[in-house]
Amino acid sequence: MIETLQKRPFSLVLSGGGALGIAHLGVLHDMEAHALTPSEIIGTSMGGIISALIAIGLKEREIYQHIQRFVKVSNWIKFSFSGNAIVENDKIAQIFEQLFGNRTMNETKIPLKIIATHLKSGDKRVFSAKDSHILIKDAVLATMAIPGVFEEHTIDEEVYADGFLCENLGLLEAEHHTVLAVDVLGRGSFEAELPNNFFKTQNVLEMFERSMRLLIYNQSRTALSLSKKNIMLIEPDTSEFSTYQFHKYERIRQQGLGLL
């Protein structure tokens, strides 16, 4: 795998997955160790955030430091008592302002594509260098806007939500024949056994998350079956973690190490 990636231009595709997306950093660490630089980066949701940071030139160590800084929920969550979502975007928008400033989608060191979903039509929206007037921070706010959880984001009077609704693993957007895809909601994200907790509420929550993972996994599996590209797929073992467990960032990152 490494030899192929060293010899050919390749697309790096990073999936969504909430806190599970921190496992992307383990893979990125190993890529840097082997001096592997993608020719383009495609990301959805959490994968979109990390993709954008890589694209503007940040190294894995720097991205990890930012995650350590903002890992406390109080640093980025502001609860909303109106509108369509539980969380307002004010604090998150301030963080992205610090990270990306006023850079636009065509102002990256590596070509970047970020996937979001048009909330009214359900159509996929891919933000790229062609959108030279769109700020990276806006595209990132759009790709991570889980309906009902984070506020939907408006760009050019159009309303967008999380890209996982249409393409959690952006294989269809890859330009190059060789693709390195990291799917934190792939086969490695499922526990072997069904929930069996004492409290029914916990079982219900775990079953709901399992159902969402299955839905997204099957979506990505269909895309894999349709692709004619040379896809090198990495599926970190994220089965013991939940998508909201950002406080377990150290252990989640480790799940991406040593998989290249």
Side-chain angles (χ1 to χ4, degrees), residues 102-241:
N102 288 319
R103 287 187 181 91
T104 55
M105 288 297 297
N106 63 334
E107 295 179 322
T108 59
K109 295 183 177 180
I110 302 173
L112 173 66
K113 295 174 183 173
I114 293 179
I115 298 172
T117 305
H118 192 284
L119 198 52
K120 293 182 180 179
S121 69
D123 293 337
K124 177 170 62 178
R125 176 67 158 92
V126 182
F127 297 104
S128 69
K130 296 177 183 178
D131 301 297
S132 57
H133 68 293
I134 290 179
L135 300 176
I136 295 174
K137 62 187 178 185
D138 283 322
V140 169
L141 281 168
T143 193
M144 57 148 283
I146 302 172
V149 179
F150 296 105
E151 282 183 314
E152 61 274 15
H153 193 63
T154 301
I155 302 175
D156 292 342
E157 299 183 356
E158 299 293 340
V159 184
Y160 296 100
D162 200 304
F164 88 84
L165 295 169
C166 56
E167 191 175 7
N168 194 59
L169 186 65
L171 298 170
L172 301 178
E173 308 311 318
E175 177 181 337
H176 300 284
H177 179 68
T178 300
V179 179
L180 176 62
V182 187
D183 190 2
V184 299
L185 283 176
R187 175 61 72 181
S189 69
F190 301 104
E191 290 278 9
E193 304 295 330
L194 294 178
N196 188 27
N197 299 293
F198 178 80
F199 292 105
K200 181 177 180 178
T201 303
Q202 186 64 29
N203 288 332
V204 170
L205 291 173
E206 289 185 17
M207 283 298 290
F208 178 75
E209 178 154 347
R210 184 184 183 92
S211 298
M212 291 301 296
R213 292 190 190 196
L214 280 169
L215 186 153
I216 294 169
Y217 169 69
N218 283 315
Q219 175 203 87
S220 299
R221 188 164 58 173
T222 298
L224 280 164
S225 68
L226 294 174
S227 177
K228 295 183 174 13
K229 296 183 182 294
N230 176 23
I231 299 174
M232 302 176 184
L233 180 64
I234 293 177
E235 297 176 292
D237 183 357
T238 57
S239 59
E240 66 175 290
F241 305 101

Side-chain angles (χ1 to χ4, degrees), residues 236-254:
D237 183 357
T238 57
S239 59
E240 66 175 290
F241 305 101
S242 294
T243 53
Y244 56 83
Q245 290 179 324
F246 287 91
H247 63 288
K248 296 185 178 181
Y249 61 93
E250 292 179 275
R251 291 176 56 205
I252 296 174
R253 174 183 173 274
Q254 291 174 1

